Each structure stands twice: as structure tokens, then as C-alpha cells.
Amino acid sequence: MIREEGLAARLWRFAIWAAVAVFVLNVVAVIAVVVIDSFAARWFGTWLPPAFVTHWYSDAWNDFQLSDILIVTFEIVAAVVVISGVLGVTAAYAMARRNFPGKQAVMLIFLAPLLVPPLTYGIPLATLLYKAGLGGTMGGVILANLVPTVPFMVLVMIPFIEQIDPRIEAAARVFGASTFSLFIRVLVPLLLPGVLSGLLLVMVRTIAMFELTFLTSGPTSQTLVVALYYAVFASGVRAGQEVDVMAVVYMISTLIWLLIALRFVSPTQIVSRAKQRA
């Protein structure tokens, strides 16, 4: 009986690891195909391209105006991250420290943009922005992306704020600390790991946000993910290798932003803080 249970456990572990290996290999294979094709002169019916070239990158850079798209993407992501941080931390502090009528209803409102598919509220939101004259502008794209990112930042920050003992803030006020000094000298150092973790997740979410950006962006306010979408549907006009170049640029730029962010914060901080609280 013991041998049968041990054999079953080993088979189960083998099945899990096999499934994980197949998944990882599929992801690696897809990425490898895209990268190889971006350097291929042509690739039909063979395991590898017969010749490799690099001019597809310069062609795509010029044809799709990638420099302008990357600048717009950086500006939108930076604006969303900063505004979400300011509004999210402030609202999270109020939600964590204050009890008021309708608090549960407010929490439900914060959860709604995260639970409902973006396309559901993205269409009426885009209609409203276009009526207000913000549709197709960078400001409209930023406002649309703030709808899910600010509530997300609030929900991330509330546990970090709740685990700070209120007596620390009371002691600082007893010694004459103003609200600004209390925030800068006491709360910011304590909340910094949570703030950085939340901003990292907001950054990743904004870079990958397609639906809201697509519905509210214009010719001069497209992020890289929206430009990639248009590049895919322009494959009949552009060479397929140029579309793959767009995909490679998107992967590399996202990876660079992630590496820069991970230089300052570890994504495991949220988990470790949750464990400490438990």
C-alpha cells in the first residue's frame, strides 16, 4: 500500500513537471520563431531560414516610426505610474485609517474596474472622452488607463498601510511633527517597499493595456502594444518580418523597463509582507 502511494505521488510529480516543461518549451519556441523570423531574408518550408539579414529592423524603425511610438509609450506609462502612485496611496491611507458610512460600497467601486473586462466599460468611457474632446489625445489615454490602475494601487497599498501601527503616527504628532513631516519622514520609509511593488505592477499593467488604449488613442498617442496591433493588420502591406520586428521591440522594451524596476524593488516583497502580517 505504501509502495502504491509512493508510486502514485511520483507519477503525479512527474506529470506536473512534464506539463510545466511543455508549457515553457512552447513559450520559448514561440519567442524563438518570432526572433529568428525578424532576421530572416525569407523563411518557407525549412527548419531555419536560408539567409539572415538585419535591414528589417531599420525598415520597421522607419516605416512604423518606432522612435516616436517608444517616446509616447514612455510618457504615458510614466504619467500613469506617477498619478496612480499619488492618488492610490492617498486613497488607500484614507480607506485603511478611516471608518465611514458606505466604506464597503466604496471598496466595491474600487473592485469593479478590476473584475469587469476593460472592454465592457472601455467603450462608454471612450465615448465620454471623445465628447469631452479628449479622445485621441495623450491625456485621454492617460485618463483611461487610470481607471483600472488607481483602484489596483489602492488595493495593493491597503494591507501595507494597515500593518503600520497607528501609535507610531500618534507618537510623531506628539513630538510636533506636521502632516507633511509625518508623511515624508515616517510613512514614506515604512511604505516604500509596498509603493514600489505597486508601481511596478501598475507599470506592467499599463504597458500591456491594449483595450482602453486602443479605444482612446489617436495617431499621435498610440502606445507600442497598439502600434503592434496595427502592424499585424498591415502585414499585407508590410513584410511579415517587419511585424516580427515590432514584436521583438515590444518584448525587449518591456523587459528593459522590468529590469530597471526590479533594480529598485523585488516582486516578492508583497508576498513576504503578507506572510509577516499573517
Side-chain angles (χ1 to χ4, degrees), residues 221-239:
S221 57
Q222 294 178 6
T223 61
L224 191 55
V225 66
V226 175
L228 177 59
Y229 170 82
Y230 284 116
V232 171
F233 281 89
S235 58
V237 179
R238 308 291 184 187

mmCIF file of all heavy atoms in Angstrom, residues 221-239:
data_model
loop_
_atom_site.group_PDB
_atom_site.id
_atom_site.type_symbol
_atom_site.label_atom_id
_atom_site.label_comp_id
_atom_site.label_asym_id
_atom_site.label_seq_id
_atom_site.Cartn_x
_atom_site.Cartn_y
_atom_site.Cartn_z
ATOM 1 N N SER A 221 -0.931 59.267 -30.293
ATOM 2 C CA SER A 221 -0.974 58.845 -28.885
ATOM 3 C C SER A 221 -1.052 57.326 -28.751
ATOM 4 O O SER A 221 -1.587 56.816 -27.782
ATOM 5 C CB SER A 221 -2.168 59.484 -28.173
ATOM 6 O OG SER A 221 -3.389 59.167 -28.826
ATOM 7 N N GLN A 222 -0.520 56.609 -29.725
ATOM 8 C CA GLN A 222 -0.523 55.154 -29.675
ATOM 9 C C GLN A 222 0.665 54.647 -28.866
ATOM 10 O O GLN A 222 1.785 55.110 -29.043
ATOM 11 C CB GLN A 222 -0.445 54.562 -31.085
ATOM 12 C CG GLN A 222 -1.647 54.835 -31.948
ATOM 13 C CD GLN A 222 -1.480 54.269 -33.351
ATOM 14 O OE1 GLN A 222 -0.512 53.580 -33.631
ATOM 15 N NE2 GLN A 222 -2.417 54.568 -34.228
ATOM 16 N N THR A 223 0.401 53.695 -27.994
ATOM 17 C CA THR A 223 1.493 53.025 -27.305
ATOM 18 C C THR A 223 2.006 51.876 -28.174
ATOM 19 O O THR A 223 1.445 51.561 -29.218
ATOM 20 C CB THR A 223 1.043 52.491 -25.938
ATOM 21 O OG1 THR A 223 -0.013 51.533 -26.135
ATOM 22 C CG2 THR A 223 0.552 53.616 -25.048
ATOM 23 N N LEU A 224 3.056 51.250 -27.705
ATOM 24 C CA LEU A 224 3.708 50.221 -28.516
ATOM 25 C C LEU A 224 2.790 49.028 -28.771
ATOM 26 O O LEU A 224 2.801 48.444 -29.861
ATOM 27 C CB LEU A 224 4.990 49.761 -27.824
ATOM 28 C CG LEU A 224 5.940 48.873 -28.637
ATOM 29 C CD1 LEU A 224 6.307 49.546 -29.946
ATOM 30 C CD2 LEU A 224 7.179 48.551 -27.827
ATOM 31 N N VAL A 225 1.977 48.648 -27.785
ATOM 32 C CA VAL A 225 1.110 47.487 -27.959
ATOM 33 C C VAL A 225 0.027 47.763 -28.998
ATOM 34 O O VAL A 225 -0.346 46.885 -29.780
ATOM 35 C CB VAL A 225 0.492 47.073 -26.607
ATOM 36 C CG1 VAL A 225 -0.447 48.125 -26.068
ATOM 37 C CG2 VAL A 225 -0.227 45.738 -26.738
ATOM 38 N N VAL A 226 -0.471 49.010 -29.065
ATOM 39 C CA VAL A 226 -1.468 49.367 -30.079
ATOM 40 C C VAL A 226 -0.817 49.441 -31.452
ATOM 41 O O VAL A 226 -1.392 48.991 -32.454
ATOM 42 C CB VAL A 226 -2.141 50.702 -29.719
ATOM 43 C CG1 VAL A 226 -3.097 51.139 -30.823
ATOM 44 C CG2 VAL A 226 -2.896 50.572 -28.400
ATOM 45 N N ALA A 227 0.383 49.997 -31.520
ATOM 46 C CA ALA A 227 1.101 50.049 -32.797
ATOM 47 C C ALA A 227 1.386 48.647 -33.316
ATOM 48 O O ALA A 227 1.345 48.398 -34.527
ATOM 49 C CB ALA A 227 2.395 50.830 -32.630
ATOM 50 N N LEU A 228 1.673 47.719 -32.414
ATOM 51 C CA LEU A 228 1.902 46.328 -32.818
ATOM 52 C C LEU A 228 0.629 45.731 -33.406
ATOM 53 O O LEU A 228 0.680 44.976 -34.390
ATOM 54 C CB LEU A 228 2.376 45.519 -31.612
ATOM 55 C CG LEU A 228 2.599 44.018 -31.838
ATOM 56 C CD1 LEU A 228 3.643 43.794 -32.928
ATOM 57 C CD2 LEU A 228 3.030 43.344 -30.540
ATOM 58 N N TYR A 229 -0.510 46.063 -32.827
ATOM 59 C CA TYR A 229 -1.788 45.574 -33.355
ATOM 60 C C TYR A 229 -2.003 46.066 -34.781
ATOM 61 O O TYR A 229 -2.364 45.284 -35.683
ATOM 62 C CB TYR A 229 -2.930 46.042 -32.451
ATOM 63 C CG TYR A 229 -4.311 45.816 -33.020
ATOM 64 C CD1 TYR A 229 -4.932 44.580 -32.917
ATOM 65 C CD2 TYR A 229 -4.991 46.851 -33.667
ATOM 66 C CE1 TYR A 229 -6.200 44.379 -33.445
ATOM 67 C CE2 TYR A 229 -6.260 46.654 -34.189
ATOM 68 C CZ TYR A 229 -6.859 45.418 -34.082
ATOM 69 O OH TYR A 229 -8.109 45.225 -34.602
ATOM 70 N N TYR A 230 -1.759 47.348 -35.013
ATOM 71 C CA TYR A 230 -1.923 47.879 -36.366
ATOM 72 C C TYR A 230 -0.897 47.275 -37.324
ATOM 73 O O TYR A 230 -1.181 47.090 -38.510
ATOM 74 C CB TYR A 230 -1.792 49.403 -36.353
ATOM 75 C CG TYR A 230 -3.009 50.113 -35.815
ATOM 76 C CD1 TYR A 230 -2.960 50.868 -34.653
ATOM 77 C CD2 TYR A 230 -4.228 50.027 -36.484
ATOM 78 C CE1 TYR A 230 -4.075 51.517 -34.164
ATOM 79 C CE2 TYR A 230 -5.361 50.677 -36.004
ATOM 80 C CZ TYR A 230 -5.275 51.417 -34.846
ATOM 81 O OH TYR A 230 -6.391 52.046 -34.370
ATOM 82 N N ALA A 231 0.299 46.988 -36.816
ATOM 83 C CA ALA A 231 1.319 46.384 -37.665
ATOM 84 C C ALA A 231 0.902 44.993 -38.119
ATOM 85 O O ALA A 231 1.164 44.593 -39.253
ATOM 86 C CB ALA A 231 2.649 46.319 -36.919
ATOM 87 N N VAL A 232 0.259 44.243 -37.239
ATOM 88 C CA VAL A 232 -0.198 42.893 -37.592
ATOM 89 C C VAL A 232 -1.218 42.961 -38.724
ATOM 90 O O VAL A 232 -1.173 42.176 -39.678
ATOM 91 C CB VAL A 232 -0.792 42.190 -36.360
ATOM 92 C CG1 VAL A 232 -1.470 40.893 -36.770
ATOM 93 C CG2 VAL A 232 0.298 41.923 -35.327
ATOM 94 N N PHE A 233 -2.137 43.921 -38.639
ATOM 95 C CA PHE A 233 -3.168 44.018 -39.676
ATOM 96 C C PHE A 233 -2.673 44.738 -40.921
ATOM 97 O O PHE A 233 -3.394 44.813 -41.913
ATOM 98 C CB PHE A 233 -4.405 44.714 -39.117
ATOM 99 C CG PHE A 233 -5.255 43.810 -38.284
ATOM 100 C CD1 PHE A 233 -5.029 43.679 -36.915
ATOM 101 C CD2 PHE A 233 -6.255 43.055 -38.853
ATOM 102 C CE1 PHE A 233 -5.798 42.823 -36.146
ATOM 103 C CE2 PHE A 233 -7.029 42.196 -38.089
ATOM 104 C CZ PHE A 233 -6.799 42.079 -36.725
ATOM 105 N N ALA A 234 -1.457 45.267 -40.848
ATOM 106 C CA ALA A 234 -0.850 45.865 -42.043
ATOM 107 C C ALA A 234 0.135 44.911 -42.693
ATOM 108 O O ALA A 234 0.933 45.311 -43.542
ATOM 109 C CB ALA A 234 -0.144 47.167 -41.686
ATOM 110 N N SER A 235 0.081 43.629 -42.281
ATOM 111 C CA SER A 235 1.051 42.663 -42.787
ATOM 112 C C SER A 235 0.903 42.436 -44.291
ATOM 113 O O SER A 235 1.842 41.993 -44.950
ATOM 114 C CB SER A 235 0.909 41.333 -42.046
ATOM 115 O OG SER A 235 -0.421 40.836 -42.185
ATOM 116 N N GLY A 236 -0.267 42.717 -44.847
ATOM 117 C CA GLY A 236 -0.413 42.587 -46.284
ATOM 118 C C GLY A 236 0.323 43.667 -47.045
ATOM 119 O O GLY A 236 0.662 43.510 -48.208
ATOM 120 N N VAL A 237 0.557 44.814 -46.366
ATOM 121 C CA VAL A 237 1.274 45.926 -46.973
ATOM 122 C C VAL A 237 2.746 45.864 -46.610
ATOM 123 O O VAL A 237 3.620 46.070 -47.446
ATOM 124 C CB VAL A 237 0.665 47.270 -46.527
ATOM 125 C CG1 VAL A 237 1.427 48.435 -47.154
ATOM 126 C CG2 VAL A 237 -0.807 47.317 -46.882
ATOM 127 N N ARG A 238 3.024 45.589 -45.339
ATOM 128 C CA ARG A 238 4.401 45.486 -44.864
ATOM 129 C C ARG A 238 4.856 44.027 -44.907
ATOM 130 O O ARG A 238 4.046 43.100 -44.880
ATOM 131 C CB ARG A 238 4.502 46.006 -43.430
ATOM 132 C CG ARG A 238 3.909 47.384 -43.209
ATOM 133 C CD ARG A 238 4.703 48.477 -43.896
ATOM 134 N NE ARG A 238 4.165 49.789 -43.592
ATOM 135 C CZ ARG A 238 4.567 50.910 -44.163
ATOM 136 N NH1 ARG A 238 5.521 50.863 -45.080
ATOM 137 N NH2 ARG A 238 4.028 52.068 -43.829
ATOM 138 N N ALA A 239 6.142 43.846 -44.943
ATOM 139 C CA ALA A 239 6.698 42.491 -44.884
ATOM 140 C C ALA A 239 6.414 41.880 -43.525
ATOM 141 O O ALA A 239 6.401 42.572 -42.495
ATOM 142 C CB ALA A 239 8.204 42.539 -45.145
#
